[in-house]
mmCIF file with all atom_site columns, all heavy atoms in Angstrom:
data_model
loop_
_atom_site.group_PDB
_atom_site.id
_atom_site.type_symbol
_atom_site.label_atom_id
_atom_site.label_alt_id
_atom_site.label_comp_id
_atom_site.label_asym_id
_atom_site.label_entity_id
_atom_site.label_seq_id
_atom_site.pdbx_PDB_ins_code
_atom_site.Cartn_x
_atom_site.Cartn_y
_atom_site.Cartn_z
_atom_site.occupancy
_atom_site.B_iso_or_equiv
_atom_site.pdbx_formal_charge
_atom_site.auth_seq_id
_atom_site.auth_comp_id
_atom_site.auth_asym_id
_atom_site.auth_atom_id
_atom_site.pdbx_PDB_model_num
ATOM 1   N N   . ALA A 1 16 ? 36.020 -63.686 -19.437 1.00 45.00 ? 223 ALA A N   1
ATOM 2   C CA  . ALA A 1 16 ? 35.663 -64.850 -18.481 1.00 45.00 ? 223 ALA A CA  1
ATOM 3   C C   . ALA A 1 16 ? 35.505 -66.058 -19.318 1.00 45.00 ? 223 ALA A C   1
ATOM 4   O O   . ALA A 1 16 ? 35.208 -66.004 -20.519 1.00 45.00 ? 223 ALA A O   1
ATOM 5   C CB  . ALA A 1 16 ? 34.487 -64.522 -17.709 1.00 45.00 ? 223 ALA A CB  1
ATOM 6   N N   . ALA A 1 17 ? 35.508 -67.186 -18.648 1.00 45.00 ? 224 ALA A N   1
ATOM 7   C CA  . ALA A 1 17 ? 35.273 -68.384 -19.350 1.00 45.00 ? 224 ALA A CA  1
ATOM 8   C C   . ALA A 1 17 ? 33.815 -68.481 -19.814 1.00 45.00 ? 224 ALA A C   1
ATOM 9   O O   . ALA A 1 17 ? 32.798 -68.041 -19.106 1.00 45.00 ? 224 ALA A O   1
ATOM 10  C CB  . ALA A 1 17 ? 35.476 -69.586 -18.267 1.00 45.00 ? 224 ALA A CB  1
ATOM 11  N N   . THR A 1 18 ? 33.611 -69.060 -20.931 1.00 45.00 ? 225 THR A N   1
ATOM 12  C CA  . THR A 1 18 ? 32.161 -69.094 -21.521 1.00 45.00 ? 225 THR A CA  1
ATOM 13  C C   . THR A 1 18 ? 31.641 -70.608 -21.417 1.00 45.00 ? 225 THR A C   1
ATOM 14  O O   . THR A 1 18 ? 32.531 -71.404 -21.459 1.00 45.00 ? 225 THR A O   1
ATOM 15  C CB  . THR A 1 18 ? 32.098 -68.603 -22.946 1.00 45.00 ? 225 THR A CB  1
ATOM 16  O OG1 . THR A 1 18 ? 33.037 -69.394 -23.658 1.00 45.00 ? 225 THR A OG1 1
ATOM 17  C CG2 . THR A 1 18 ? 32.424 -67.129 -22.855 1.00 45.00 ? 225 THR A CG2 1
ATOM 18  N N   . GLU A 1 19 ? 30.398 -70.763 -21.349 1.00 54.00 ? 226 GLU A N   1
ATOM 19  C CA  . GLU A 1 19 ? 29.879 -72.118 -21.503 1.00 54.00 ? 226 GLU A CA  1
ATOM 20  C C   . GLU A 1 19 ? 30.068 -72.625 -22.805 1.00 54.00 ? 226 GLU A C   1
ATOM 21  O O   . GLU A 1 19 ? 29.439 -72.209 -23.854 1.00 54.00 ? 226 GLU A O   1
ATOM 22  C CB  . GLU A 1 19 ? 28.286 -72.075 -21.067 1.00 54.00 ? 226 GLU A CB  1
ATOM 23  C CG  . GLU A 1 19 ? 27.755 -73.382 -20.828 1.00 54.00 ? 226 GLU A CG  1
ATOM 24  C CD  . GLU A 1 19 ? 26.395 -73.284 -20.324 1.00 54.00 ? 226 GLU A CD  1
ATOM 25  O OE1 . GLU A 1 19 ? 26.288 -73.051 -19.049 1.00 54.00 ? 226 GLU A OE1 1
ATOM 26  O OE2 . GLU A 1 19 ? 25.415 -73.489 -21.047 1.00 54.00 ? 226 GLU A OE2 1
ATOM 27  N N   . ASN A 1 20 ? 30.917 -73.671 -22.980 1.00 58.00 ? 227 ASN A N   1
ATOM 28  C CA  . ASN A 1 20 ? 31.337 -74.068 -24.206 1.00 58.00 ? 227 ASN A CA  1
ATOM 29  C C   . ASN A 1 20 ? 31.294 -75.634 -24.392 1.00 58.00 ? 227 ASN A C   1
ATOM 30  O O   . ASN A 1 20 ? 32.289 -76.312 -23.935 1.00 58.00 ? 227 ASN A O   1
ATOM 31  C CB  . ASN A 1 20 ? 32.842 -73.550 -24.369 1.00 58.00 ? 227 ASN A CB  1
ATOM 32  C CG  . ASN A 1 20 ? 33.304 -73.765 -25.899 1.00 58.00 ? 227 ASN A CG  1
ATOM 33  O OD1 . ASN A 1 20 ? 32.699 -74.414 -26.651 1.00 58.00 ? 227 ASN A OD1 1
ATOM 34  N ND2 . ASN A 1 20 ? 34.450 -73.059 -26.120 1.00 58.00 ? 227 ASN A ND2 1
ATOM 35  N N   . LYS A 1 21 ? 30.162 -76.085 -24.825 1.00 62.00 ? 228 LYS A N   1
ATOM 36  C CA  . LYS A 1 21 ? 29.989 -77.570 -24.931 1.00 62.00 ? 228 LYS A CA  1
ATOM 37  C C   . LYS A 1 21 ? 30.840 -78.180 -26.077 1.00 62.00 ? 228 LYS A C   1
ATOM 38  O O   . LYS A 1 21 ? 30.920 -79.291 -26.194 1.00 62.00 ? 228 LYS A O   1
ATOM 39  C CB  . LYS A 1 21 ? 28.598 -77.864 -24.964 1.00 62.00 ? 228 LYS A CB  1
ATOM 40  C CG  . LYS A 1 21 ? 27.674 -77.463 -23.827 1.00 62.00 ? 228 LYS A CG  1
ATOM 41  C CD  . LYS A 1 21 ? 26.232 -77.894 -23.977 1.00 62.00 ? 228 LYS A CD  1
ATOM 42  C CE  . LYS A 1 21 ? 25.550 -77.172 -25.082 1.00 62.00 ? 228 LYS A CE  1
ATOM 43  N NZ  . LYS A 1 21 ? 24.115 -77.463 -25.185 1.00 62.00 ? 228 LYS A NZ  1
ATOM 44  N N   . HIS A 1 22 ? 31.244 -77.250 -27.052 1.00 60.00 ? 229 HIS A N   1
ATOM 45  C CA  . HIS A 1 22 ? 31.831 -77.764 -28.265 1.00 60.00 ? 229 HIS A CA  1
ATOM 46  C C   . HIS A 1 22 ? 33.310 -77.402 -28.313 1.00 60.00 ? 229 HIS A C   1
ATOM 47  O O   . HIS A 1 22 ? 33.915 -77.534 -29.328 1.00 60.00 ? 229 HIS A O   1
ATOM 48  C CB  . HIS A 1 22 ? 31.117 -77.120 -29.453 1.00 60.00 ? 229 HIS A CB  1
ATOM 49  C CG  . HIS A 1 22 ? 29.595 -77.210 -29.472 1.00 60.00 ? 229 HIS A CG  1
ATOM 50  N ND1 . HIS A 1 22 ? 28.977 -78.440 -29.648 1.00 60.00 ? 229 HIS A ND1 1
ATOM 51  C CD2 . HIS A 1 22 ? 28.676 -76.297 -29.199 1.00 60.00 ? 229 HIS A CD2 1
ATOM 52  C CE1 . HIS A 1 22 ? 27.712 -78.228 -29.521 1.00 60.00 ? 229 HIS A CE1 1
ATOM 53  N NE2 . HIS A 1 22 ? 27.540 -76.931 -29.304 1.00 60.00 ? 229 HIS A NE2 1
ATOM 54  N N   . ALA A 1 23 ? 33.810 -77.146 -27.120 1.00 61.00 ? 230 ALA A N   1
ATOM 55  C CA  . ALA A 1 23 ? 35.268 -76.698 -27.056 1.00 61.00 ? 230 ALA A CA  1
ATOM 56  C C   . ALA A 1 23 ? 36.142 -77.947 -27.477 1.00 61.00 ? 230 ALA A C   1
ATOM 57  O O   . ALA A 1 23 ? 35.874 -79.060 -27.071 1.00 61.00 ? 230 ALA A O   1
ATOM 58  C CB  . ALA A 1 23 ? 35.656 -76.323 -25.593 1.00 61.00 ? 230 ALA A CB  1
ATOM 59  N N   . GLY A 1 24 ? 37.038 -77.697 -28.492 1.00 63.00 ? 231 GLY A N   1
ATOM 60  C CA  . GLY A 1 24 ? 37.872 -78.808 -28.872 1.00 63.00 ? 231 GLY A CA  1
ATOM 61  C C   . GLY A 1 24 ? 37.352 -79.616 -30.035 1.00 63.00 ? 231 GLY A C   1
ATOM 62  O O   . GLY A 1 24 ? 38.182 -80.350 -30.690 1.00 63.00 ? 231 GLY A O   1
ATOM 63  N N   . LYS A 1 25 ? 36.134 -79.503 -30.452 1.00 78.00 ? 232 LYS A N   1
ATOM 64  C CA  . LYS A 1 25 ? 35.535 -80.245 -31.531 1.00 78.00 ? 232 LYS A CA  1
ATOM 65  C C   . LYS A 1 25 ? 36.003 -79.629 -32.835 1.00 78.00 ? 232 LYS A C   1
ATOM 66  O O   . LYS A 1 25 ? 36.036 -78.446 -32.925 1.00 78.00 ? 232 LYS A O   1
ATOM 67  C CB  . LYS A 1 25 ? 33.996 -80.300 -31.387 1.00 78.00 ? 232 LYS A CB  1
ATOM 68  C CG  . LYS A 1 25 ? 33.538 -81.145 -30.322 1.00 78.00 ? 232 LYS A CG  1
ATOM 69  C CD  . LYS A 1 25 ? 32.054 -81.339 -30.403 1.00 78.00 ? 232 LYS A CD  1
ATOM 70  C CE  . LYS A 1 25 ? 31.479 -82.124 -29.255 1.00 78.00 ? 232 LYS A CE  1
ATOM 71  N NZ  . LYS A 1 25 ? 29.992 -82.333 -29.421 1.00 78.00 ? 232 LYS A NZ  1
ATOM 72  N N   . LYS A 1 26 ? 36.253 -80.512 -33.832 1.00 82.00 ? 233 LYS A N   1
ATOM 73  C CA  . LYS A 1 26 ? 36.774 -80.049 -35.102 1.00 82.00 ? 233 LYS A CA  1
ATOM 74  C C   . LYS A 1 26 ? 35.844 -80.646 -36.237 1.00 82.00 ? 233 LYS A C   1
ATOM 75  O O   . LYS A 1 26 ? 35.151 -81.602 -36.044 1.00 82.00 ? 233 LYS A O   1
ATOM 76  C CB  . LYS A 1 26 ? 38.174 -80.576 -35.342 1.00 82.00 ? 233 LYS A CB  1
ATOM 77  C CG  . LYS A 1 26 ? 39.145 -80.040 -34.283 1.00 82.00 ? 233 LYS A CG  1
ATOM 78  C CD  . LYS A 1 26 ? 39.432 -78.589 -34.393 1.00 82.00 ? 233 LYS A CD  1
ATOM 79  C CE  . LYS A 1 26 ? 40.466 -78.186 -33.319 1.00 82.00 ? 233 LYS A CE  1
ATOM 80  N NZ  . LYS A 1 26 ? 40.767 -76.725 -33.345 1.00 82.00 ? 233 LYS A NZ  1
ATOM 81  N N   . LEU A 1 27 ? 36.057 -80.019 -37.400 1.00 84.00 ? 234 LEU A N   1
ATOM 82  C CA  . LEU A 1 27 ? 35.275 -80.509 -38.593 1.00 84.00 ? 234 LEU A CA  1
ATOM 83  C C   . LEU A 1 27 ? 35.977 -81.873 -38.984 1.00 84.00 ? 234 LEU A C   1
ATOM 84  O O   . LEU A 1 27 ? 37.164 -82.167 -38.714 1.00 84.00 ? 234 LEU A O   1
ATOM 85  C CB  . LEU A 1 27 ? 35.459 -79.495 -39.756 1.00 84.00 ? 234 LEU A CB  1
ATOM 86  C CG  . LEU A 1 27 ? 34.826 -78.140 -39.604 1.00 84.00 ? 234 LEU A CG  1
ATOM 87  C CD1 . LEU A 1 27 ? 35.126 -77.335 -40.782 1.00 84.00 ? 234 LEU A CD1 1
ATOM 88  C CD2 . LEU A 1 27 ? 33.287 -78.356 -39.488 1.00 84.00 ? 234 LEU A CD2 1
ATOM 89  N N   . ALA A 1 28 ? 35.144 -82.636 -39.645 1.00 80.00 ? 235 ALA A N   1
ATOM 90  C CA  . ALA A 1 28 ? 35.597 -84.016 -40.063 1.00 80.00 ? 235 ALA A CA  1
ATOM 91  C C   . ALA A 1 28 ? 36.404 -84.100 -41.239 1.00 80.00 ? 235 ALA A C   1
ATOM 92  O O   . ALA A 1 28 ? 37.258 -84.856 -41.431 1.00 80.00 ? 235 ALA A O   1
ATOM 93  C CB  . ALA A 1 28 ? 34.384 -84.953 -40.152 1.00 80.00 ? 235 ALA A CB  1
ATOM 94  N N   . GLY A 1 29 ? 35.954 -83.267 -42.265 1.00 78.00 ? 236 GLY A N   1
ATOM 95  C CA  . GLY A 1 29 ? 36.731 -83.214 -43.507 1.00 78.00 ? 236 GLY A CA  1
ATOM 96  C C   . GLY A 1 29 ? 35.826 -83.699 -44.657 1.00 78.00 ? 236 GLY A C   1
ATOM 97  O O   . GLY A 1 29 ? 36.098 -83.391 -45.811 1.00 78.00 ? 236 GLY A O   1
ATOM 98  N N   . GLY A 1 30 ? 34.746 -84.417 -44.364 1.00 83.00 ? 237 GLY A N   1
ATOM 99  C CA  . GLY A 1 30 ? 33.809 -84.818 -45.428 1.00 83.00 ? 237 GLY A CA  1
ATOM 100 C C   . GLY A 1 30 ? 32.771 -83.818 -45.475 1.00 83.00 ? 237 GLY A C   1
ATOM 101 O O   . GLY A 1 30 ? 32.137 -83.477 -44.488 1.00 83.00 ? 237 GLY A O   1
ATOM 102 N N   . LEU A 1 31 ? 32.379 -83.375 -46.685 1.00 85.00 ? 238 LEU A N   1
ATOM 103 C CA  . LEU A 1 31 ? 31.307 -82.291 -46.897 1.00 85.00 ? 238 LEU A CA  1
ATOM 104 C C   . LEU A 1 31 ? 29.968 -82.757 -46.264 1.00 85.00 ? 238 LEU A C   1
ATOM 105 O O   . LEU A 1 31 ? 29.360 -82.005 -45.636 1.00 85.00 ? 238 LEU A O   1
ATOM 106 C CB  . LEU A 1 31 ? 31.206 -82.020 -48.356 1.00 85.00 ? 238 LEU A CB  1
ATOM 107 C CG  . LEU A 1 31 ? 30.361 -80.721 -48.628 1.00 85.00 ? 238 LEU A CG  1
ATOM 108 C CD1 . LEU A 1 31 ? 30.834 -79.519 -48.030 1.00 85.00 ? 238 LEU A CD1 1
ATOM 109 C CD2 . LEU A 1 31 ? 30.221 -80.594 -50.181 1.00 85.00 ? 238 LEU A CD2 1
ATOM 110 N N   . ASP A 1 32 ? 29.561 -83.957 -46.562 1.00 87.00 ? 239 ASP A N   1
ATOM 111 C CA  . ASP A 1 32 ? 28.249 -84.444 -46.068 1.00 87.00 ? 239 ASP A CA  1
ATOM 112 C C   . ASP A 1 32 ? 28.232 -84.516 -44.583 1.00 87.00 ? 239 ASP A C   1
ATOM 113 O O   . ASP A 1 32 ? 27.258 -84.013 -43.915 1.00 87.00 ? 239 ASP A O   1
ATOM 114 C CB  . ASP A 1 32 ? 27.844 -85.777 -46.646 1.00 87.00 ? 239 ASP A CB  1
ATOM 115 C CG  . ASP A 1 32 ? 27.613 -85.700 -48.188 1.00 87.00 ? 239 ASP A CG  1
ATOM 116 O OD1 . ASP A 1 32 ? 27.229 -84.643 -48.647 1.00 87.00 ? 239 ASP A OD1 1
ATOM 117 O OD2 . ASP A 1 32 ? 27.745 -86.689 -48.857 1.00 87.00 ? 239 ASP A OD2 1
ATOM 118 N N   . LYS A 1 33 ? 29.322 -84.927 -43.957 1.00 89.00 ? 240 LYS A N   1
ATOM 119 C CA  . LYS A 1 33 ? 29.390 -85.020 -42.536 1.00 89.00 ? 240 LYS A CA  1
ATOM 120 C C   . LYS A 1 33 ? 29.353 -83.654 -41.930 1.00 89.00 ? 240 LYS A C   1
ATOM 121 O O   . LYS A 1 33 ? 28.772 -83.453 -40.888 1.00 89.00 ? 240 LYS A O   1
ATOM 122 C CB  . LYS A 1 33 ? 30.686 -85.783 -42.125 1.00 89.00 ? 240 LYS A CB  1
ATOM 123 C CG  . LYS A 1 33 ? 30.571 -87.312 -42.415 1.00 89.00 ? 240 LYS A CG  1
ATOM 124 C CD  . LYS A 1 33 ? 31.927 -88.104 -41.839 1.00 89.00 ? 240 LYS A CD  1
ATOM 125 C CE  . LYS A 1 33 ? 31.729 -89.565 -42.168 1.00 89.00 ? 240 LYS A CE  1
ATOM 126 N NZ  . LYS A 1 33 ? 32.976 -90.215 -41.633 1.00 89.00 ? 240 LYS A NZ  1
ATOM 127 N N   . ASP A 1 34 ? 30.113 -82.671 -42.459 1.00 88.00 ? 241 ASP A N   1
ATOM 128 C CA  . ASP A 1 34 ? 30.366 -81.403 -41.936 1.00 88.00 ? 241 ASP A CA  1
ATOM 129 C C   . ASP A 1 34 ? 29.028 -80.637 -41.964 1.00 88.00 ? 241 ASP A C   1
ATOM 130 O O   . ASP A 1 34 ? 28.600 -79.951 -41.062 1.00 88.00 ? 241 ASP A O   1
ATOM 131 C CB  . ASP A 1 34 ? 31.464 -80.618 -42.538 1.00 88.00 ? 241 ASP A CB  1
ATOM 132 C CG  . ASP A 1 34 ? 32.834 -81.296 -42.164 1.00 88.00 ? 241 ASP A CG  1
ATOM 133 O OD1 . ASP A 1 34 ? 32.977 -81.909 -41.122 1.00 88.00 ? 241 ASP A OD1 1
ATOM 134 O OD2 . ASP A 1 34 ? 33.762 -80.994 -42.892 1.00 88.00 ? 241 ASP A OD2 1
ATOM 135 N N   . VAL A 1 35 ? 28.360 -80.726 -43.096 1.00 89.00 ? 242 VAL A N   1
ATOM 136 C CA  . VAL A 1 35 ? 27.052 -80.034 -43.294 1.00 89.00 ? 242 VAL A CA  1
ATOM 137 C C   . VAL A 1 35 ? 26.038 -80.599 -42.387 1.00 89.00 ? 242 VAL A C   1
ATOM 138 O O   . VAL A 1 35 ? 25.217 -79.903 -41.760 1.00 89.00 ? 242 VAL A O   1
ATOM 139 C CB  . VAL A 1 35 ? 26.559 -80.159 -44.857 1.00 89.00 ? 242 VAL A CB  1
ATOM 140 C CG1 . VAL A 1 35 ? 25.245 -79.601 -45.039 1.00 89.00 ? 242 VAL A CG1 1
ATOM 141 C CG2 . VAL A 1 35 ? 27.499 -79.386 -45.663 1.00 89.00 ? 242 VAL A CG2 1
ATOM 142 N N   . GLY A 1 36 ? 26.085 -81.964 -42.199 1.00 89.00 ? 243 GLY A N   1
ATOM 143 C CA  . GLY A 1 36 ? 25.077 -82.574 -41.211 1.00 89.00 ? 243 GLY A CA  1
ATOM 144 C C   . GLY A 1 36 ? 25.417 -82.190 -39.838 1.00 89.00 ? 243 GLY A C   1
ATOM 145 O O   . GLY A 1 36 ? 24.470 -81.961 -39.107 1.00 89.00 ? 243 GLY A O   1
ATOM 146 N N   . LEU A 1 37 ? 26.649 -81.975 -39.531 1.00 90.00 ? 244 LEU A N   1
ATOM 147 C CA  . LEU A 1 37 ? 27.010 -81.532 -38.144 1.00 90.00 ? 244 LEU A CA  1
ATOM 148 C C   . LEU A 1 37 ? 26.588 -80.145 -37.909 1.00 90.00 ? 244 LEU A C   1
ATOM 149 O O   . LEU A 1 37 ? 25.928 -79.797 -36.941 1.00 90.00 ? 244 LEU A O   1
ATOM 150 C CB  . LEU A 1 37 ? 28.476 -81.522 -38.005 1.00 90.00 ? 244 LEU A CB  1
ATOM 151 C CG  . LEU A 1 37 ? 29.129 -81.002 -36.675 1.00 90.00 ? 244 LEU A CG  1
ATOM 152 C CD1 . LEU A 1 37 ? 28.509 -81.736 -35.448 1.00 90.00 ? 244 LEU A CD1 1
ATOM 153 C CD2 . LEU A 1 37 ? 30.690 -81.051 -36.690 1.00 90.00 ? 244 LEU A CD2 1
ATOM 154 N N   . ILE A 1 38 ? 26.660 -79.192 -38.898 1.00 90.00 ? 245 ILE A N   1
ATOM 155 C CA  . ILE A 1 38 ? 26.198 -77.790 -38.828 1.00 90.00 ? 245 ILE A CA  1
ATOM 156 C C   . ILE A 1 38 ? 24.697 -77.819 -38.657 1.00 90.00 ? 245 ILE A C   1
ATOM 157 O O   . ILE A 1 38 ? 24.129 -77.001 -37.851 1.00 90.00 ? 245 ILE A O   1
ATOM 158 C CB  . ILE A 1 38 ? 26.695 -76.890 -39.982 1.00 90.00 ? 245 ILE A CB  1
ATOM 159 C CG1 . ILE A 1 38 ? 28.225 -76.882 -40.054 1.00 90.00 ? 245 ILE A CG1 1
ATOM 160 C CG2 . ILE A 1 38 ? 26.058 -75.471 -39.876 1.00 90.00 ? 245 ILE A CG2 1
ATOM 161 C CD1 . ILE A 1 38 ? 28.902 -76.330 -38.930 1.00 90.00 ? 245 ILE A CD1 1
ATOM 162 N N   . LYS A 1 39 ? 24.086 -78.603 -39.519 1.00 89.00 ? 246 LYS A N   1
ATOM 163 C CA  . LYS A 1 39 ? 22.531 -78.617 -39.342 1.00 89.00 ? 246 LYS A CA  1
ATOM 164 C C   . LYS A 1 39 ? 22.074 -79.206 -37.998 1.00 89.00 ? 246 LYS A C   1
ATOM 165 O O   . LYS A 1 39 ? 21.027 -78.706 -37.531 1.00 89.00 ? 246 LYS A O   1
ATOM 166 C CB  . LYS A 1 39 ? 22.067 -79.561 -40.520 1.00 89.00 ? 246 LYS A CB  1
ATOM 167 C CG  . LYS A 1 39 ? 22.098 -78.919 -41.957 1.00 89.00 ? 246 LYS A CG  1
ATOM 168 C CD  . LYS A 1 39 ? 21.391 -79.859 -42.817 1.00 89.00 ? 246 LYS A CD  1
ATOM 169 C CE  . LYS A 1 39 ? 21.476 -79.152 -44.316 1.00 89.00 ? 246 LYS A CE  1
ATOM 170 N NZ  . LYS A 1 39 ? 20.815 -79.964 -45.366 1.00 89.00 ? 246 LYS A NZ  1
ATOM 171 N N   . GLU A 1 40 ? 22.816 -80.088 -37.417 1.00 89.00 ? 247 GLU A N   1
ATOM 172 C CA  . GLU A 1 40 ? 22.383 -80.569 -36.128 1.00 89.00 ? 247 GLU A CA  1
ATOM 173 C C   . GLU A 1 40 ? 22.765 -79.554 -35.019 1.00 89.00 ? 247 GLU A C   1
ATOM 174 O O   . GLU A 1 40 ? 21.906 -79.356 -34.176 1.00 89.00 ? 247 GLU A O   1
ATOM 175 C CB  . GLU A 1 40 ? 23.281 -81.827 -35.807 1.00 89.00 ? 247 GLU A CB  1
ATOM 176 C CG  . GLU A 1 40 ? 22.990 -82.478 -34.505 1.00 89.00 ? 247 GLU A CG  1
ATOM 177 C CD  . GLU A 1 40 ? 21.607 -83.009 -34.326 1.00 89.00 ? 247 GLU A CD  1
ATOM 178 O OE1 . GLU A 1 40 ? 20.963 -83.302 -35.399 1.00 89.00 ? 247 GLU A OE1 1
ATOM 179 O OE2 . GLU A 1 40 ? 21.048 -82.992 -33.203 1.00 89.00 ? 247 GLU A OE2 1
ATOM 180 N N   . LEU A 1 41 ? 23.786 -78.791 -35.162 1.00 89.00 ? 248 LEU A N   1
ATOM 181 C CA  . LEU A 1 41 ? 24.112 -77.646 -34.152 1.00 89.00 ? 248 LEU A CA  1
ATOM 182 C C   . LEU A 1 41 ? 23.036 -76.669 -34.284 1.00 89.00 ? 248 LEU A C   1
ATOM 183 O O   . LEU A 1 41 ? 22.728 -75.932 -33.282 1.00 89.00 ? 248 LEU A O   1
ATOM 184 C CB  . LEU A 1 41 ? 25.472 -77.114 -34.449 1.00 89.00 ? 248 LEU A CB  1
ATOM 185 C CG  . LEU A 1 41 ? 26.643 -78.058 -34.200 1.00 89.00 ? 248 LEU A CG  1
ATOM 186 C CD1 . LEU A 1 41 ? 27.963 -77.420 -34.722 1.00 89.00 ? 248 LEU A CD1 1
ATOM 187 C CD2 . LEU A 1 41 ? 26.727 -78.375 -32.663 1.00 89.00 ? 248 LEU A CD2 1
#
Side-chain angles (χ1 to χ4, degrees):
T225 58
E226 189 169 280
N227 194 347
K228 296 184 292 185
H229 310 290
K232 290 187 178 181
K233 302 290 183 180
L234 294 174
L238 186 61
D239 291 333
K240 289 183 178 180
D241 291 338
V242 172
L244 175 60
I245 299 299
K246 287 184 176 181
E247 180 64 26
L248 292 173

